[in-house]
Amino acid sequence: MPSEPVLLLVKRRYNRRSHKQHQRQSITGRLGLGCGAIASLLLVVAVLAAALAYASLTADLPSHQALPILLDAEAGALLQPTTLYDRSGQHVLLEINNPGMARRFLSTDPDLPHHFSPYLIQVSLALLDDSFWHNPGFAWWKLTDPQPLTLAEHLVDDLLLEADPPGLRRTLRMRLLAAQLVATYGRSQVLEWYLNSAPFGNRAYGAESASQLYLGKSASALNLAEAALLVAVMAAPALNPLDTPAAAIERQHEALDELLARGAINATEHQQALNDDPGLKAAATPTPGLASNFTDLVIEQLSRQFGEQRVERGGLRVLTTLDYDLQLQLDCGLRNQLRRLQGEDPAITMPTSVECQTARLLPTLPPGSDTLPPQLAAAALLLDLEKGQVLAYAGAFDSNGQRGYYRHQPGSMLTPFVAVAAFARGFAPASLVWDIPETAPPIEGVQLNPDGEYHGPQRLRLALANDYLIPLAGLLDQLGAINVWRQAQPLGLGRLGQVNDPLGLLYRGGNLSLLEMAQAYSVFANLGFLVGEPNPVSDVLTPLMVLEVEDSAGIHWKESQTPQRRSALSPELAYLVHHVLADEAARWQSLGYPNPLEVGRPVGAKVGQAAEGAQVWTIGYTPQRLAAVWLGFPEETIDPPKLQTRYAAGIWHALIQYASRELPPAGWQAPAGIRTLTVCDPSGKLPTVDCPLTVEEVFIEGFEPVEYDTLYRQVQINRETGRLATVFTPLALIQEEVFLVVPPEAQAWARRAGLLLPPSEYDDIFVPSVLPDVNILHPPIFSYVRGKVALRGSAAGEDFASYSLQAGQGLNPRNWQQIGEESTAPVQDGTLGRWDTTSLEDGLYAVRLTVLRSDQRLDTAVIQVTVDNTPPQVQIVHPVPQQRFVFPTERQITFRVDTEDVSEIQLVRWYLNDRLHGESSQAPFSYVWNGDPGRYTLTARAVDRAGNSGESQPVNFSLER
């Protein structure tokens, strides 16, 4: 037996081995328990994630139980077309379907009397879902493919998931719903629902409607060729027999080839089907209904909001804003005016027994109105300004009632928005503008006003009211056309920024609808506010056209809402424009008195024209209603005659009268920031005693004039010679007359217009000859002087005793002031004295030299000068502060200034970033600069005939790539 020590040693080793083994087992056990816990935790997380994912996937999941309601064969919602009503709900405006084609559901059961052709079922399944009878309703083999691949997927994608945004979530929801659909209702029901609801283009939904539309027969009687045609259209509705007949036949042949390749038909059937003539039905000529342009816009709006297919499928009741009676009166008024202008019988056959009151309200046509061609069309619109709703609308309408939807050239109807930009920069309705050829902007082919005349100095009010485009186009050029149209975007005129010739827009070009123009003008009627609902494209408020939308179950998709009211202009700016548009007397120069814009109540209105008179407009408003009218020829018309603006104004007159007949007369209250002031016409400055005509004008507070009128001046002339009187002209021959003193650039126009201008030459008949020993040679006679003037000449001769210098104000001074001290030293061709004019008033002065001889004889010499110590005023009008130009499109920039001075500007120097870049010596003072991209500061310095210098405020602008 082993000894005890050996046993103890063995035991200890055994214990050590056992302890180590136990440790290893313990560690392994703990690791196993840890891994198991982690695996369990991961399983729980996975289950929770899957649950959360499924919950997210099914959140707000449409119920497949909605399909029986929509697609019930007897009373399904989609059997009823979407119907548009007037605001009362009593008059149907439109049913969105193919006219005369009732919707009807067919069955897939061949034992029922109204069933689909077996060929249609055969071809549909073979080409669209060949595993239809075996798959679970969804394509499990392409689970994440976003395209619907089975008929069940097509059905739920079209009818239940229209509101879901594209993405994986929609894809998985589509397949989940498809599986539920097949499991709940069975494959036969899914097939029947699909064939009765699939889109086929041209508002045809369901094979029965498509078969009637394209083939003129029921879908129960289709042969193989016809079935292949419809299934091809079902797969690509845009390639249908009406829109693309050749493409539709080609796709039919491709479908037949595919059927043959899959063994669904044999070669004989294939060839027979290719030989069969499908007998395509010709497209029916649509008959436009009442307010078809209005309903087109409503459908467009609904399609953006709910989806085009959902609207066209049917089952919706749409209550619009249209006033049925106003629409009837608008239509008959347009048609009556067109027939009168075209020399036809103006008798109207109304669609109802309603009497055409607007025809009776049309003013008599102007004398000498020509008979116009049949292409003449008209458009009109009525807005409820308080509610922001369209009450009646015809987009384009000829004398036979044929309608279209056109955009038009806005032309001179845009001038109020030029005025808005000008008023925002300190101009006012009283501001002086010049309607003369010399101020015409550089618009190719355009040098005249619409009336072919130039009207000289005008207040901006009169230029705007009478469509004098030369000064307004010049103002547009000064302000920067791109800037002006950019500022008009918040008013809904965003399209103006997309034209190629922004400066020429007042004459031609542009692409605006009547609705856009009417909404923009509503800002003036509402004193700065737009009323309506947000446009999903531009976010500008647009007038409401839909009040309510509900489905056949009575569920409201859109409820009546209070329109939004959003500030688009300051009330003061809007009021200045409105005040001009509401000034009846201001437009008498062009429209005469009375005229169609006078309706016996306060209104604001504007007439305009475009396309060289081939299109004319009138837009005007009361506080409650706005009417807009366009009359003209389509742009493709060859050599259209020029139209009178009164033609459109007559329609406006009738519409606004009728639309306002039951509304109380109302006016507008001036905003708090508006001030009224008496000014001289046409300068818009404070009147002087020489001003022959004063008017009341409105200004934004802080922008009232502070300078006195300088256009009218009292001038003393020799009544016999007609020249400026001098100190030498006998008093008996001097008379005072008030003249309109025009700037140099306007003098050519003034002479052509026969305007009596003040003489520019002095009367030299009575000027005495210069004595050799008694004379003043400097400054020259009739010159301009300033500051301290050195008087040079001679005071000498035989028996010289002394001489003195005196100055007196006016042509024939009554009071003379001594210049310096009397001198006893003779002077020959030297300095006689120094005359300090710095404290004198500007104006005409006589300077007299008197020489005393020792025998008490007196010799005198007199000169006449004009004192001018006032620096000229100069203001940069183009570019405007912070204006941005686009390089290289607008690289060539014309700098322009407005100047004013007691005497006459001789020179304007142009400084860019404090460096002299050029000068101009002829009015109107401008300078053409070709620049490189960068930021610039422009300053202009003007120098007058007396040598005074004035500097403009600096203007910062940029030329950007």
Side-chain angles (χ1 to χ4, degrees), residues 465-513:
N466 294 286
D467 244 15
Y468 298 157
L469 292 191
I470 292 297
L472 285 159
L475 195 57
L476 176 63
D477 188 31
Q478 289 180 17
L479 301 174
I482 293 178
N483 284 339
V484 172
W485 305 139
R486 187 183 294 122
Q487 291 174 353
Q489 290 180 7
L491 309 184
L493 301 179
R495 297 178 191 274
L496 298 180
Q498 304 168 10
V499 299
N500 295 325
D501 182 18
L503 184 57
L505 265 180
L506 299 185
Y507 293 90
R508 56 176 179 254
N511 187 30
L512 295 177
S513 71

Side-chain angles (χ1 to χ4, degrees), residues 87 179 291 361 846:
R87 65 189 302 112
L361 293 171

Side-chain angles (χ1 to χ4, degrees), residues 837-899:
T837 69
T838 54
S839 61
L840 301 178
E841 292 184 7
D842 291 341
L844 194 65
Y845 284 81
V847 179
R848 183 173 63 186
L849 167 65
T850 303
V851 175
L852 176 64
R853 307 293 180 182
S854 56
D855 58 2
Q856 300 303 307
R857 287 184 297 111
L858 294 176
D859 290 329
T860 61
V862 180
I863 63 169
Q864 182 177 316
V865 295
T866 300
V867 172
D868 177 10
N869 285 305
T870 303
Q873 297 182 13
V874 54
Q875 178 185 9
I876 298 172
V877 295
H878 189 254
V880 297
Q882 308 305 324
Q883 186 165 351
R884 292 184 298 171
F885 298 93
V886 179
F887 181 90
T889 307
E890 299 177 282
R891 179 179 186 179
Q892 187 177 87
I893 303 173
T894 302
F895 301 150
R896 294 189 180 89
V897 291
D898 274 345
T899 58

